Amino acid sequence: RSKGDAVELPREQPEHLRVLFAFGLTPAFYEADAEHVNAMIKALGTAFEDLAGRFGATVLGGMDDDQLQVGPSASWPWTAYILADVPDLDAVVAICNLVRETPVLEDRLWKYIKVEARVGRPLFFGTR
């Protein structure tokens, strides 16, 4: 190929969105007493259970970086991740909203953890 030739990359349009949900712990998590931390962990598990049944999301994997990422994470690197196939943008917003809506004792989950979603499509290489 010559230098000016166009390169065509595979651009299949999937039936779903590939979403990386990135979670970061806030300073409030580290300032909280054991009662609040335990309540936050329980609320987090409850809030994010059955994403398939509730939002049509297929979770492909998750990763917790809590052994090498210690302390608040205001941006990258995040503390934890969920990679999922999600049917549409409304479902992505609804899943992110769980952090805003879920109660933790007298607070909401967003006091202790933040979420950010990166939306794209499945990568055409490195699939096995």
Side-chain angles (χ1 to χ4, degrees):
R1 103 175 169 83
S2 66
K3 206 173 188 178
D5 290 344
V7 175
E8 284 198 37
L9 298 174
R11 298 282 186 210
E12 295 178 22
Q13 291 301 322
E15 296 178 16
H16 55 267
L17 303 172
R18 178 68 46 95
V19 182
L20 180 65
F21 295 96
F23 299 90
L25 295 172
T26 69
F29 173 83
Y30 293 96
E31 296 164 0
D33 60 26
E35 178 187 18
H36 284 81
V37 170
N38 289 331
M40 188 279 286
I41 291 169
K42 183 177 179 182
L44 195 56
T46 301
F48 286 88
E49 71 184 357
D50 193 22
L51 295 178
R54 294 163 56 208
F55 304 104
T58 301
V59 175
L60 303 173
M63 187 183 94
D64 193 345
D65 193 17
D66 66 339
Q67 291 182 317
L68 300 177
Q69 164 67 15
V70 179
S73 45
S75 65
W76 188 92
W78 299 94
T79 305
Y81 304 85
I82 294 173
L83 181 64
D85 285 340
V86 181
D88 54 40
L89 194 55
D90 288 341
V92 176
V93 171
I95 292 169
C96 287
N97 236 8
L98 295 171
V99 171
R100 183 178 289 118
E101 297 171 349
T102 302
V104 177
L105 301 176
E106 69 278 358
D107 299 311
R108 297 280 175 192
L109 196 51
W110 68 351
K111 179 175 181 177
Y112 304 102
I113 195 166
K114 60 184 282 178
V115 63
E116 181 176 302
R118 300 282 310 193
V119 177
R121 61 175 172 255
L123 190 61
F124 69 93
F125 63 91
T127 58
R128 294 186 192 255

